[in-house]
Amino acid sequence: DAKASGKNTYAFFDEKINEKIVRKMKIQNSMKDAIKNNEFMLYYQPQYYISTGRIKGFEALLRWNSSQHGFVSPSEFIGIAETSGLIIPLGYWVLNEACSFIKRVIDMGYEDVSISVNVSVIQLMQDDFVENVNNVLRQYGLKPSNLQLEITESILMENIDFNLKRIRELRRLGVGLSLDDFGKGYSSLTYLRDLPIDILKIDKTFIDNILESNEKSCLTGNIITLAHDLGLSVVAEGVEEEEQLKYLKCYNCDMVQGYLFSKPLPR
Ligand code: C2E
Ligand code: MG
Ligand code: MG
Ligand code: MG
């Protein structure tokens, strides 16, 4: 009867939630030793200037091949690393590894390339974050302009007043700052104007939209124009089709990144 099936439905959901919690706990536990056991790797995806076709730099993207769980996606483990605090040591591991990579690229003769590193707001909130970034740059003999930090829009905006202070400190240091996944969140344009960033990364959704309808495509074009009016450069992320690139050129988008050019690759 209805009552019995209702109870079953409830039990079913309960079990699903339980499974998720157990998986999270297992992931969290195995992450503790994963750095030490060299289970993490960085992959690098090139970013190009549209106008010249020249390489601007690379984005470092974390990959985890866990001895217990196999490949785990960053969209799953980054959140767990944030809530457990493991993102702090993991984030410094990433920063170090990424800087060592770009140092090697520079030494091969590419002068003005940059490495983009994704930074969680949890890392940004650490009192010694700016100092540590500075130390890593000096350790590898890099210019601040060789490092570009990417911060996700929606999360940055949640605690904007505090984060703004830290962003300004990083800006003073001279590293580049990108607002990642732009358009997925809901930035107030006022804050966008006040943020001392230099690059806006348009979320893949808006790149996919280009081929969907004229209206949606125009919206993407307008975001690029708006960013330029604010003095920002624009990176289109997740470019997969030649046709998207054609439109992005038309809209004067500055840089592109995506499977059309290259997937993220190991060093
Ligand atoms: P994100 O920073 O926005 O990175 C872009 C994501 O899009 C990456 O996914 C990349 O592999 C993927 N991508 C690039 N081009 C294409 C394309 O043409 N098509 C498609 N379908 N996807 C494309 P990934 O590597 O799975 O990373 C997901 C998210 O995890 C990242 O989004 C970033 O927010 C986070 N993440 C990755 N590495 C790190 C890290 O070292 N630290 C932190 N805090 N977060 C990281
Ligand atoms: Mg990113
Ligand atoms: Mg992004
Ligand atoms: Mg993303």
Side-chain angles (χ1 to χ4, degrees):
D1 63 283
K3 209 174 166 188
S5 86
K7 202 177 167 191
N8 279 337
T9 312
Y10 178 76
F12 172 75
F13 278 118
D14 209 28
E15 205 173 288
K16 275 271 182 247
I17 291 167
N18 201 40
E19 261 171 41
K20 275 192 182 170
I21 293 170
V22 170
R23 161 101 179 158
K24 268 194 179 173
M25 283 169 58
K26 282 185 181 162
I27 297 270
Q28 187 173 320
N29 277 330
S30 24
M31 273 180 94
K32 285 178 191 154
D33 296 319
I35 299 182
K36 207 172 56 206
N37 296 342
N38 287 319
E39 292 180 1
F40 287 107
M41 272 184 83
L42 283 187
Y43 275 42
Y44 301 93
Q45 187 178 39
Q47 304 169 320
Y48 299 93
Y49 291 106
I50 295 185
S51 59
T52 59
R54 289 185 61 177
I55 200 153
K56 194 263 173 194
F58 302 84
E59 177 173 1
L61 294 156
L62 253 178
R63 294 292 176 264
W64 180 25
N65 189 2
S66 159
S67 55
Q68 286 150 63
H69 311 283
F71 277 100
V72 186
S73 149
S75 51
E76 181 173 15
F77 71 74
I78 292 291
I80 298 170
E82 284 175 339
T83 46
S84 68
L86 276 169
I87 194 71
I88 304 298
L90 183 57
Y92 285 127
W93 180 85
V94 169
L95 191 63
N96 241 286
E97 189 73 14
C99 284
S100 122
F101 168 78
I102 206 66
K103 174 64 178 164
R104 281 206 354 196
V105 174
I106 290 167
D107 287 348
M108 275 159 41
Y110 298 87
E111 262 176 43
D112 285 320
V113 287
S114 65
I115 187 73
S116 293
V117 176
N118 292 287
V119 167
S120 154
V121 169
I122 309 286
Q123 294 172 264
L124 206 64
M125 283 175 356
Q126 303 302 302
D127 286 332
D128 54 0
F129 183 69
V130 181
E131 189 189 324
N132 287 340
V133 168
N134 193 23
N135 287 340
V136 176
L137 288 175
R138 277 197 304 195
Q139 184 191 332
Y140 290 101
L142 294 171
K143 291 181 285 185
S145 60
N146 294 132
L147 181 63
Q148 187 80 31
L149 300 179
E150 298 195 359
I151 303 156
T152 299
E153 180 209 9
S154 51
I155 303 161
L156 181 73
M157 295 302 168
E158 275 170 21
N159 196 356
I160 186 63
D161 292 321
F162 176 83
N163 291 327
L164 202 56
K165 181 174 162 266
R166 199 44 54 80
I167 297 272
R168 291 199 172 114
E169 290 170 24
L170 286 166
R171 197 71 200 131
R172 240 173 282 138
L173 186 64
V175 299
L177 293 164
S178 304
L179 196 57
D180 206 349
D181 300 344
F182 183 78
K184 249 171 119 183
Y186 40 87
S187 293
S188 146
L189 293 180
T190 314
Y191 276 127
L192 192 56
R193 195 195 54 205
D194 292 342
L195 270 178
I197 54 169
D198 48 58
I199 291 180
L200 199 132
K201 293 192 78 174
I202 305 185
D203 192 71
K204 185 176 187 308
T205 348
F206 291 90
I207 308 309
D208 293 338
N209 279 347
I210 289 176
L211 303 180
E212 267 184 31
S213 71
N214 258 330
E215 287 81 3
K216 286 184 172 179
S217 184
C218 275
L219 176 62
T220 306
N222 286 330
I223 293 174
I224 296 170
T225 306
L226 169 87
H228 286 160
D229 288 346
L230 291 166
L232 306 173
S233 293
V234 180
V235 176
E237 57 178 11
V239 181
E240 293 177 345
E241 314 267 347
E242 204 65 59
E243 187 78 0
Q244 292 169 329
L245 176 63
K246 214 177 79 190
Y247 275 94
L248 290 164
K249 260 184 202 159
C250 265
Y251 295 144
N252 289 317
C253 183
D254 304 275
M255 290 159 268
V256 278
Q257 178 183 351
Y259 294 173
L260 178 62
F261 313 96
S262 172
K263 288 199 168 183
L265 298 168
R267 75 192 272 174

